[in-house]
Amino acid sequence: QVQFVESGGGLVQPGGSLRLSCTAPGLTLNDYAIGWFRQAPGKARESVSCFSSGDGRHTYASSVKGRFTISRDNAENTVYLQMNSLKPEDTAVYYCAANLMRRACALGKIYEYDYWGQGTQVTVSS
């Protein structure tokens, strides 16, 4: 069973930074559009960012644009999410998933993504 493994979360003060990582043993991430998603307590899962396969385009939710940067290391088969200028509202469990229906990002179509992992907790608090 393919499943993403996310890491890098933690507790950080507002304005701080974290870098999240995700990989999926047995899955070549470069073959898929890989998305980062998050879910806060009591809220629905939402899209954060995506890295398309092929053309390598980046897509971001408006709430994180200019603060978060997604990247991919093909040699390490890992996708990263650099998060700067963190805010308390960024607090959530962050997940990676692969789009099984297209190689381009489709952030608004969470149902197209699969291989969800356990996620990594990000808490932004003073």
Side-chain angles (χ1 to χ4, degrees), residues 23 28-30 72-78 80:
T23 190
T28 301
L29 300 192
N30 191 36
R72 184 178 65 206
D73 185 327
N74 292 333
E76 296 293 327
N77 200 38
T78 300
Y80 300 97

Side-chain angles (χ1 to χ4, degrees), residues 86-121:
L86 282 162
K87 305 175 181 180
E89 51 263 44
D90 294 319
T91 295
V93 179
Y94 283 70
Y95 302 88
C96 266
N99 192 312
L100 302 188
M101 298 185 65
R102 68 189 79 221
R103 299 186 73 184
C105 288
L107 275 186
K109 299 181 179 180
I110 295 179
Y111 58 87
E112 293 188 353
Y113 291 80
D114 205 345
Y115 304 146
W116 300 95
Q118 298 300 310
T120 185
Q121 175 71 47

Side-chain angles (χ1 to χ4, degrees), residues 2-112:
V2 175
Q3 190 174 43
F4 275 91
V5 178
E6 301 92 346
S7 63
L11 173 63
V12 63
Q13 292 186 341
S17 298
L18 282 174
R19 189 177 78 154
L20 307 183
S21 303
C22 77
T23 190
L27 192 73
T28 301
L29 300 192
N30 191 36
D31 291 341
Y32 299 87
I34 305 299
W36 278 100
F37 305 83
R38 67 187 182 187
Q39 187 166 18
K43 295 188 176 181
R45 190 167 296 185
E46 62 176 358
S47 304
V48 174
S49 181
C50 183
F51 197 113
S52 291
S53 178
D55 61 10
R57 290 186 179 182
H58 306 174
T59 308
Y60 299 94
S62 57
S63 58
V64 306
K65 194 173 294 184
R67 300 188 298 121
F68 291 10
T69 303
I70 192 170
S71 61
R72 184 178 65 206
D73 185 327
N74 292 333
E76 296 293 327
N77 200 38
T78 300
V79 172
Y80 300 97
L81 185 69
Q82 177 67 42
M83 306 188 297
N84 298 329
S85 302
L86 282 162
K87 305 175 181 180
E89 51 263 44
D90 294 319
T91 295
V93 179
Y94 283 70
Y95 302 88
C96 266
N99 192 312
L100 302 188
M101 298 185 65
R102 68 189 79 221
R103 299 186 73 184
C105 288
L107 275 186
K109 299 181 179 180
I110 295 179
Y111 58 87
E112 293 188 353

